[in-house]
Amino acid sequence: MKKKAIFILSCIIFTILSAVTSSLLGAMSIRWEDLLQSDSMESRVFFELRIPRILLGLMVGGSLAWSGALAQGLFRNPIVDPGLIGITAGCSLFASIAIVLGTSIPFLHSIWSIVLFSFLGGISSSFIIFFFAKSKGRTDIFSLLLSGIAVNAICFSAIGILSYIANEAQLRNLSLWNMGSLGGASWANLKSFSIFFILPLLISPFIAKQLNVFILGEREASHLGVSTEFLKTIIILLIGVSVGACVSLVGNIGFVGLAVPHIVRLAIGQDYKYLLITSYLLGGGLLCFADGICRIIIAPSEIPVGIATALLGSPFFLSLIRKRMNHI
């Protein structure tokens, strides 16, 4: 229990330090005394650009890690993440359609149309994999995973076709979208999408106990009174809504949804009462920290944060795996 408390406290401290440090990093140097002058350029950059960006990073990173923890619990497999079951690919496909064909489709001209269309893609792919995995009122987990893999393949093939027919500017936008960035953060999109990012924090206490029973096995969970069909349905819908909101606003950001829950599980075990919330904390802190690094390496330009999350997290993830193997 002491080890668990120390790890959770460390995650809280890391997330706070990441947010504070990231708020001061960037092409423009900002000092604390600059913030006292409300009409200064530094103050406007801080409150209108960096604070929304930090909040978006915390919520997107947290939601991706939380969704990864849910997916790994549902499939009882630590190498599953929302990207493997087709939801991320669905968002990317719809965003790609909007980017490449937006000039020909009247309602897809604005950036908000692309965001909402991408969000619709995540929700649609969730329903499609459910449709193919459900038979006689029962959802088969194995079919769910295979359906997700098939949806992934179809979406990436379609994205390949769109990339082939795209012009140079559209191809550049597609590439940037697929690398992920928090550069589009604003108070307006935070206000519109924050409910989808806060939802995990509100729901976690109600599904943690059922997930703890579900990892024993579907049949065992049914015998112990868990409504497994309802649990599977609600988890896929939650992942679809949460990841759909993330990808529609920032593009594809890998590694967080796969590795963060695994890191937390290695540190504190797989009690979902702590795993879900701690994954949210660590995922948010990690993405915020990575985004801060991305803004200073080649300032005033930025490196896409999706590249940084993989570079920062993979070595740490490998070292944890190695450490665990040494204890077997």
Side-chain angles (χ1 to χ4, degrees), residues 27-41:
M28 177 181 281
S29 176
I30 296 178
R31 299 169 299 174
W32 290 114
E33 50 265 35
D34 296 329
L35 304 180
L36 300 176
Q37 303 172 15
S38 59
D39 57 344
S40 67
M41 178 63 76

Side-chain angles (χ1 to χ4, degrees), residues 6 30 81-83 106 132 141 172 184 230 238 267 270 289 293 300 309:
I6 291 173
I30 296 178
D81 78 340
F132 285 102
I141 289 291
R172 179 174 171 75
F230 176 76
L238 285 171
Q270 57 181 354
F289 177 73
I293 297 295
T309 54

Side-chain angles (χ1 to χ4, degrees), residues 66 198-208 234 238 276:
W66 180 84
I198 295 173
L199 195 64
L201 295 174
L202 301 177
I203 290 180
S204 291
F206 300 100
I207 57 174
I234 197 71
L238 285 171
L276 291 174

